[in-house]
Amino acid sequence: MAVKQLDFWFSLLKLAAKSAFALKTAFFGRIVFMCLNNLILLVGWWAVFQSFNHINGWAFSDFMFMSGLVIAALSLFTLFFRGAGIHLARLIEFGELDPYLIQPRNPLFHICCSVSDASGLGDLISGCLLMSFSGLITPGNLGVIILMFLAAALLFLSMSILFSSIPFYARDASDLSERLFFIFFNIAGYPGCIYSGLAKFILIFIFPAGVMSILPIEMIHTPSFGKIITILSISVGFFGLAIFSFYQGLKRYESSNHIRSKRS
Amino acid sequence: MKKYLTLLLAAAREQISHLKTLSARVLLMLIMLTIFRQFWMVVKAETLDSQTIQPTDLIWYLLLGCLLQYGRPEGLHRRIEEDVRTGDIAYCLLRPVSYIGAKLCESLGTFLVRLPILLFFGGIWAIYLSGGELPHDFQAFPVILILLTLSMIVLSLGTIFVGLSALFLQDSLPLFWMIQKAEYILGGLFFPLTLYPQWLQTLAMSTPFGYAGYGVSHLIYEFSWISAVQTGGMLLLWIIGISGILKLMYVLLMRKVAINGG
């Protein structure tokens, strides 16, 4: 069963890659501009860190690492599971899930994998470069960093499914879903050192952007088994919640009876 | 002129009918304002003593940046790109209005409806966050709002440029991301430009973003008529310059459409 799903996933990826390569200028443009986009943001933060040197104990290298982790994690989502974003929300809102529901594949998995964005490659490159240049990666913590990276990517996927399921419960909510994801990404992109007390608790356990911006740096500087378990549990927990929320929402789904062939 | 006013009013009416989206924007703006404020509180507690900007002024500075960011219509570049890629732009040839002018009027109509609503909620929130205090040069607010509208026009023309760039790039989204980040950083929407090294300040002020963002927003705590007139003049110059480039791009686009069809 899992092998079949993987095979199906690879077929979808191949199709997405072919379609992205069809417009070569756009394909390479997306990668280059995405790298430049991340570079511009980094220059801005570098200038700020130059002015203040340290912000609540964080040096620029900490920010670089955090930024790299968030960007690289987002790239996995963008490259492989972009369908879980606005695409899913719009399918639900317009009652166009039917082509996915009548197939023998897992509908959620199918929708998530059905869209891929080449700009993710630009993010992956710049994210990995940022983490490497931060100087915080050592052979000893590489395993933990990979785990945190995968957990962050899973969290992006989970939050995207969670937000995209809102149209099951509220009308005309696809824009809201997109904006919520944007807020989530924005908050994750700010140095986690600025939050404390209740805000920190909320950002770790309720709106878990802090799992990417607060905990990884704490984990790098003061490693502990408890912290990595917390990061993994929150990611897996939110993934479970996202799947539950999608299938609960599916019970309320109203088709538009607008059956048509889908692209992938 | 009446045709453009009609387009502007239509865009304004559309905004009023999308109250849910507008409330989401207000909420997003308030959240971002709170995060900015939190960031600056932490920074101030450690190192900002040497800086002249007071926390209240800074919150209002950030609010003006947010108004510029959240007041503009989203997806304008995407709609233009679709017109270019699908060839629908050919239908615009038949219309008695300029395509660029029509898109600008849509943006302006959207902004003029969103501005008072965002300002109302954002203002209350800014007063709350700053402990009931008003910014240093609050009396200059009407002038700042006029300049903010000019900034919006400059940035919207930039977005139209991004949309039309699909003619050469096939896909305008990556350029849009880059321009958006340049707006944040070079426009000083997150951080006042005075925090940057001198070379970056000079670079920022030689782009349209410097005057559109920092140039207008910093007047809330450092108002002078000379700065206001200088900023207004530079914004007008950028409007003329970018409009010229857009006109040229539009001519190229139309030539392509005339040869290849819509």
Side-chain angles (χ1 to χ4, degrees):
Chain A
M1 183 69 183
V3 177
K4 267 189 176 178
Q5 293 282 15
L6 270 179
D7 192 38
F8 176 58
W9 186 33
F10 285 132
S11 307
L12 286 175
L13 282 178
K14 222 168 15 181
L15 200 67
K18 270 185 190 167
S19 134
F21 266 121
L23 292 170
K24 283 194 179 58
T25 318
F27 177 77
F28 290 110
R30 278 191 169 225
I31 296 171
V32 171
F33 279 117
M34 189 46 96
C35 290
L36 283 174
N37 163 43
N38 292 329
L39 183 72
I40 292 174
L41 204 60
L42 190 74
V43 168
W45 279 103
W46 168 80
V48 170
F49 273 92
Q50 285 289 304
S51 295
F52 301 119
N53 201 15
H54 280 79
I55 296 174
N56 214 10
W58 274 40
F60 183 59
S61 57
D62 294 321
F63 176 78
M64 263 177 94
F65 179 82
M66 182 217 82
S67 232
L69 185 78
V70 171
I71 291 170
L74 181 71
S75 77
L76 280 198
F77 164 75
T78 314
L79 277 171
F80 303 123
F81 303 108
R82 192 79 179 89
I86 185 74
H87 176 65
L88 171 61
R90 293 225 166 109
L91 286 175
I92 297 168
E93 185 173 292
F94 299 128
E96 291 175 353
L97 277 181
D98 306 35
Y100 295 92
L101 295 177
I102 55 172
Q103 290 197 23
R105 308 280 174 201
N106 178 312
L108 184 57
F109 180 73
H110 191 169
I111 296 164
C112 291
C113 301
S114 62
V115 181
S116 169
D117 188 343
S119 66
L121 273 177
D123 268 344
L124 188 64
I125 294 167
S126 39
C128 291
L129 283 176
L130 283 178
M131 281 196 282
S132 316
F133 287 130
S134 71
L136 294 180
I137 301 181
T138 61
N141 65 16
L142 190 62
V144 171
I145 288 172
I146 292 173
L147 273 181
M148 291 194 297
F149 165 58
L150 294 175
L154 184 64
L155 205 51
F156 269 125
L157 173 64
S158 313
M159 296 313 285
S160 189
I161 296 173
L162 210 52
F163 296 145
S164 297
S165 299
I166 295 175
F168 278 131
Y169 306 94
R171 288 189 186 280
D172 300 328
S174 61
D175 279 344
L176 182 68
S177 310
E178 195 180 22
R179 280 189 212 304
L180 278 169
F181 188 76
F182 187 65
I183 296 177
F184 182 74
F185 173 65
N186 261 322
I187 295 177
Y190 265 77
C193 58
I194 63 174
Y195 309 108
S196 58
L198 182 64
K200 188 173 171 180
F201 178 84
I202 291 173
L203 285 178
I204 290 175
F205 295 103
I206 296 167
F207 195 73
V211 172
M212 288 177 258
S213 63
I214 303 172
L215 294 181
I217 293 296
E218 287 185 5
M219 180 68 201
I220 292 287
H221 290 304
T222 49
S224 80
F225 188 63
K227 275 179 198 149
I228 190 70
I229 289 295
T230 309
I231 293 173
L232 294 175
S233 325
I234 292 172
S235 298
V236 173
F238 269 92
F239 185 58
L241 183 68
I243 291 175
F244 176 75
S245 137
F246 175 81
Y247 284 104
Q248 281 302 109
L250 201 55
K251 291 177 187 166
R252 304 163 60 99
Y253 170 65
E254 287 172 23
S255 168
S256 63
N257 292 320
H258 188 204
I259 306 270
R260 60 180 176 191
S261 62
K262 56 182 188 54
R263 281 180 295 170
S264 58
Chain B
M1 202 62 200
K2 201 179 162 192
K3 291 174 285 193
Y4 293 105
L5 190 66
T6 311
L7 284 169
L8 192 147
L9 290 175
R13 267 198 300 272
E14 196 190 334
Q15 280 308 303
I16 294 167
S17 65
H18 286 93
L19 279 179
K20 207 193 268 180
T21 315
L22 198 53
S23 9
R25 288 209 141 230
V26 170
L27 184 69
L28 177 59
M29 186 187 75
L30 299 185
I31 291 172
M32 291 317 288
L33 201 59
T34 312
I35 294 172
F36 288 147
R37 184 251 189 188
Q38 177 68 20
F39 174 76
W40 286 107
M41 285 298 117
V42 170
V43 168
K44 184 188 169 290
E46 291 204 340
T47 44
L48 205 63
D49 291 344
S50 59
Q51 304 293 327
T52 50
I53 310 165
Q54 295 304 306
T56 304
D57 294 335
L58 199 61
I59 288 168
W60 283 85
Y61 173 91
L62 295 170
L63 172 66
L64 288 171
C66 285
L67 291 178
L68 205 52
Q69 209 54 35
Y70 296 106
R72 279 152 53 210
E74 60 282 351
L76 178 63
H77 69 97
R78 202 167 45 212
R79 288 194 293 278
I80 297 173
E81 184 195 307
E82 273 168 20
D83 285 347
V84 173
R85 284 173 71 163
T86 57
D88 283 355
I89 204 158
Y91 300 119
C92 302
L93 288 169
L94 305 170
R95 292 181 191 159
V97 284
S98 142
Y99 181 77
I100 297 165
K103 291 295 170 198
L104 189 62
C105 285
E106 279 175 31
S107 296
L108 200 57
T110 305
F111 184 73
L112 292 178
V113 168
R114 285 182 183 178
L115 182 66
I117 297 168
L118 291 171
L119 184 60
F120 176 74
F121 290 103
I124 291 175
W125 194 240
I127 291 173
Y128 166 72
L129 290 177
S130 52
E133 284 182 47
L134 289 173
H136 191 257
D137 288 319
F138 189 69
Q139 71 280 6
F141 220 86
V143 181
I144 292 172
L145 287 183
I146 294 169
L147 291 174
L148 204 66
T149 310
L150 285 180
S151 296
M152 193 288 302
I153 294 175
V154 170
L155 298 178
S156 293
L157 287 174
T159 312
I160 296 172
F161 170 82
V162 172
L164 289 179
S165 72
L167 175 68
F168 312 102
L169 298 172
Q170 296 170 342
D171 181 4
S172 69
L173 190 63
L175 183 63
F176 173 73
W177 289 324
M178 214 185 78
I179 297 273
Q180 193 188 40
K181 294 300 179 300
E183 235 173 73
Y184 289 162
I185 301 302
L186 301 177
L189 294 184
F190 289 164
F191 327 108
L193 293 187
T194 41
L195 293 176
Y196 293 164
Q198 191 56 48
W199 67 267
L200 195 52
Q201 286 184 42
T202 313
L203 175 72
M205 293 312 280
S206 55
T207 67
F209 309 117
Y211 281 99
Y214 175 78
V216 175
S217 302
H218 90 287
L219 293 173
I220 197 73
Y221 59 84
E222 265 180 351
F223 184 81
S224 76
W225 280 106
I226 295 171
S227 310
V229 170
Q230 190 193 4
T231 304
M234 285 308 292
L235 288 173
L236 284 173
L237 277 179
W238 278 113
I239 288 173
I240 295 166
I242 302 173
S243 302
I245 295 170
L246 289 179
K247 188 90 184 156
L248 193 70
M249 283 177 89
Y250 191 70
V251 170
L252 286 175
L253 182 69
M254 284 301 113
R255 196 175 292 167
K256 209 167 181 175
V257 169
I259 294 168
N260 301 322

